[in-house]
Amino acid sequence: MSALLSGNAWVNPFLGVLQAAQVALGGVAHVFGFAGDSHGQPAWPWPKRLAVEILLIDAGVARQLALALAATGGALLLAIAGLFWRKLRLALFAAAVLAAWFAPWPDTSLWLADAVPTSFQTTPFSVEAVARGALHYARDCAACHGDTGRGDGPRAASLVRWPPTVVGPLLGHRLDGELFWRVQHGMHARDGAPTMPAFASRLSDADTWAILDYLKVLAAGGGVRDGDGWPVPVALPVLDVRCGDAPAEPLARWRAGQRVRAVAIDASAPPPLEDPRWQTLLLSRDGALPPPSEAARWGASGKASCVAVTPGAWDAFAGIAGIEAQRFAGSQLIADRDGWLRAEAKPGDPAWADATLLCAAGGGRGERVTRGRADSLTSLLLRIDAEPVRYVKGGYVH
Ligand code: HEC
């Protein structure tokens, strides 16, 4: 994240432009029919792609690439000028050749990565997918990858290669679309021997994406349990919200760019009062949604009355928070205005006096913040606003 870039403030926007250009190029190729579809979405037509995720870590290579692009662009301009400017044509052409010749292109292995047709595909992170993904994960993946995703399933020791843990930076280092491809088509060692089985015949595209969403929950929850915070930023999952007796609507429309505080309620942890600093999203146990009339009564008394109605929301948020579902009541999570989950408070801490910043853009993760200060929540919110998540997911600069 941004700490990697201190002193190289231009790198992030530069890589953002590169990334946008590469995605746009893929889109253009698709529109003009050079690239067909793969797994129901536009395919990436080339065997390579820009490895923006590597460039982000190595600012030196990024700088060299920027210079090489500038030199090549300059060469092109000089050559075009030479076409029109007769008198100086020879000199301009010579300069163009020199600029192109000396463009300091870094070794291609440093900035190009192998691509697959699904490289740039993604699907939205949703509660529904997390719930479905959990079932498929238990059936198809846990034997090797372990119930908690740490690569310690009962079959792991008997494999040629040890399955990696997802509780760490792995998911952040990979494009979602490339993880999807590997799960569907399997993985192989250099000598061609299979290391991880292919699941194309067992799992539909949608179920494969769903498992990848569940892996994000395993990664987040595992990171919290280890005391390290979330290894990769986690977005508010897609779900439906019902306020009082109004019809349910999608979270994104209801949130309308506001911060969200998610609060897990039950008989012992009643809904909190509404607060203008955020939208309060109530989570209640599966199947135990308060009837609309009760929620409407809360609204009338100034209490929060908007409830997540998508089944599985409780488990998904508890999983992300790294708390067992049975002990989740009373917990709270805060999402920033961009929709990234950022901080968590344990049950019985309404003032966020002992909150944990689980996703700190400045690099520190799993930090305890503002312990015991009266204005702890305000300073937490200010800090979250001041340090937006610039998330780089396998090359996506947000
Ligand atoms: C038979 C054991 C086995 C099963 C079952 C299995 N995996 Fe794997 N998985 C592996 C091994 C081994 C690797 C490491 C392969 C390698 O690096 O070549 C791996 C690697 C991965 C990776 C990392 C890919 C990367 O880019 O590094 C992901 C993600 C993954 N598996 C997801 C899944 C999912 C999802 C399922 C269930 C649908 C699953 N695996 C089922 C053994 C297994």
Side-chain angles (χ1 to χ4, degrees):
M1 280 187 254
S2 61
L4 294 170
L5 306 175
S6 43
N8 289 307
W10 60 275
V11 173
N12 216 338
F14 169 63
L15 295 182
V17 169
L18 278 190
Q19 178 65 11
Q22 127 166 300
V23 171
L25 199 65
V28 169
H30 187 254
V31 168
F32 286 100
F34 299 125
D37 284 334
S38 178
H39 294 274
Q41 293 188 44
W44 176 253
W46 297 288
K48 294 279 180 187
R49 61 172 175 82
L50 286 174
V52 178
E53 71 276 26
I54 302 176
L55 291 172
L56 195 98
I57 296 169
D58 195 337
V61 180
R63 191 175 304 119
Q64 209 184 327
L65 187 64
L67 273 176
L69 281 171
T72 309
L76 210 66
L77 287 180
L78 286 169
I80 292 172
L83 284 181
F84 292 101
W85 204 343
R86 237 160 216 262
K87 266 196 196 153
L88 291 180
R89 181 167 291 168
L90 262 186
L92 285 168
F93 278 178
V97 169
L98 279 180
W101 184 265
F102 286 107
W105 290 101
D107 194 289
T108 49
S109 68
L110 297 175
W111 55 278
L112 285 180
D114 290 337
V116 292
T118 58
S119 277
F120 293 102
Q121 299 183 359
T122 63
T123 54
F125 178 60
S126 76
V127 162
E128 185 275 327
V130 168
R132 196 152 38 87
L135 298 177
H136 287 291
Y137 181 86
R139 195 191 67 188
D140 284 327
C141 321
C144 295
H145 285 274
D147 291 338
T148 57
R150 293 176 194 268
D152 55 357
R155 287 181 63 191
S158 65
L159 302 173
V160 185
R161 191 172 286 178
W162 206 269
T165 177
V166 299
V167 186
L170 178 83
L171 299 180
H173 289 166
R174 302 279 196 269
L175 286 170
D176 284 355
E178 295 183 352
L179 292 172
F180 172 89
W181 186 268
R182 288 176 184 162
V183 175
Q184 281 270 309
H185 301 283
M187 293 174 72
H188 300 87
R190 275 189 202 286
D191 63 4
T195 52
M196 148 136 165
F199 285 88
S201 58
R202 276 178 73 82
L203 291 171
S204 68
D205 290 353
D207 289 340
T208 306
W209 287 116
I211 299 179
L212 294 179
D213 276 358
Y214 181 63
L215 291 185
K216 292 175 193 163
V217 172
L218 285 180
V224 177
R225 288 205 178 92
D226 292 348
D228 297 332
W230 291 320
V232 287
V234 195
L236 271 171
V238 171
L239 51 80
D240 285 332
V241 185
R242 192 192 71 203
C243 296
D245 41 16
E249 61 179 330
L251 173 87
R253 187 168 349 126
W254 167 76
R255 178 171 89 76
Q258 296 300 307
R259 299 184 190 104
V260 170
R261 171 171 66 158
V263 186
I265 57 165
D266 71 356
S268 62
L273 292 175
E274 281 289 8
D275 189 306
R277 290 172 290 185
W278 49 63
Q279 301 275 62
T280 302
L281 174 69
L282 302 176
L283 304 167
S284 67
R285 265 179 230 277
D286 274 5
L289 285 179
S293 55
E294 189 181 342
R297 224 178 36 248
W298 294 339
S301 66
K303 285 186 186 157
S305 61
C306 295
V307 189
V309 291
T310 306
W314 178 281
D315 287 348
F317 278 85
I320 291 168
I323 301 175
E324 280 165 54
Q326 306 88 289
R327 297 178 43 234
F328 188 49
S331 302
Q332 315 179 52
L333 289 154
I334 276 196
D336 64 20
R337 293 194 167 97
D338 298 327
W340 294 110
L341 288 164
R342 301 294 298 271
E344 172 190 69
K346 293 269 173 339
D349 186 9
W352 293 79
D354 198 14
T356 313
L357 197 56
L358 289 170
C359 176
R365 290 171 182 168
E367 290 173 58
R368 289 243 171 273
V369 276
T370 60
R371 184 186 284 269
R373 292 212 342 235
D375 61 348
S376 50
L377 181 53
T378 312
S379 53
L380 177 69
L381 293 178
L382 288 176
R383 170 138 183 226
I384 286 173
D385 284 354
E387 298 173 9
V389 175
R390 287 203 193 75
Y391 180 37
V392 178
K393 161 81 186 178
Y396 283 94
V397 187
H398 287 259

